[in-house]
Amino acid sequence: MEKRIQIICGDITRQTADAIVNAANCSLLGGGGVDGAIHRAAGPELLAECRTLHGCETGKAKITKGYRLPAKYVIHTPGPIWRGGNAGEEALLASCYRSCLELASQYGCETVDFPSISTGVYRFPLDRAARIALETMADYLAGHPEIRRVRMVCFDARTESAYRAALERLENRL
Ligand code: ADP
């Protein structure tokens, strides 16, 4: 059987999935990194819809249409900025992944692709972020058969190998 959690290397704006996740900021009005790439690929209608949402709190998520993207929906979630680890960063990062998956379930998305939330300019330590991301996904999927597949779309080899190592550790534990 195909694994429900997969890791691939690539550009999330090119992926075909029911929903892709955007590592946004709280304004939801676009930014650099993956956020900028998603807005460029989706076209200006995405920003127009985002303006109607009035921002989003860290750890929560909001959904829009995908416009010119191959994905039907974009789920926007502001990840935590790493402040040394004592500011609730781990719980907030887990909450990002969980909130996105909850919205995916509500909107009937069977396939969801994630970028590595918070490990770019927000500087969350990569190995820790990978463990939290995959554990949160595995926990959620265990109780939600409606989600058929989630993928981590890693933009570079270092990110990909961190997620592969974390997935291996998780599978050995399960
Ligand atoms: P954050 O502010 O949450 O840290 P960033 O966009 O700075 O978000 O980085 C998050 C991750 O997204 C990083 O690993 C970065 O390399 C990656 N990334 C950037 N562009 C893309 C893209 N087009 N597809 C997938 N991942 C991307």
Side-chain angles (χ1 to χ4, degrees), residues 80-91 123-125 128:
I81 298 170
W82 182 257
R83 301 182 197 279
N86 294 317
E89 294 95 328
E90 295 207 339
R123 297 189 322 277
F124 203 107
R128 237 193 253 215

Side-chain angles (χ1 to χ4, degrees), residues 9-15 21-25 31-38 40 77-81 93 114-124 126 152-156 158-159 163:
C9 198
D11 178 344
I12 201 163
T13 66
R14 312 288 291 269
Q15 304 307 319
V21 170
N22 180 15
N25 57 54
V34 69
D35 194 2
I38 287 172
R40 276 193 300 279
T77 186
I81 298 170
L93 187 63
F114 285 87
S116 177
I117 298 165
S118 284
T119 67
V121 296
Y122 284 180
R123 297 189 322 277
F124 203 107
L126 183 56
M152 285 301 316
V153 182
C154 302
F155 203 48
D156 55 70
R158 180 174 159 260
T159 302
Y163 279 86

Side-chain angles (χ1 to χ4, degrees), residues 48-78:
E49 186 176 356
C50 283
R51 284 191 201 286
T52 69
L53 300 176
H54 307 293
C56 184
E57 284 173 45
T58 302
K60 305 265 171 70
K62 291 192 177 178
I63 192 164
T64 64
K65 291 188 285 229
Y67 299 99
R68 299 176 200 174
L69 292 164
K72 185 167 181 207
Y73 296 106
V74 180
I75 300 174
H76 306 261
T77 186

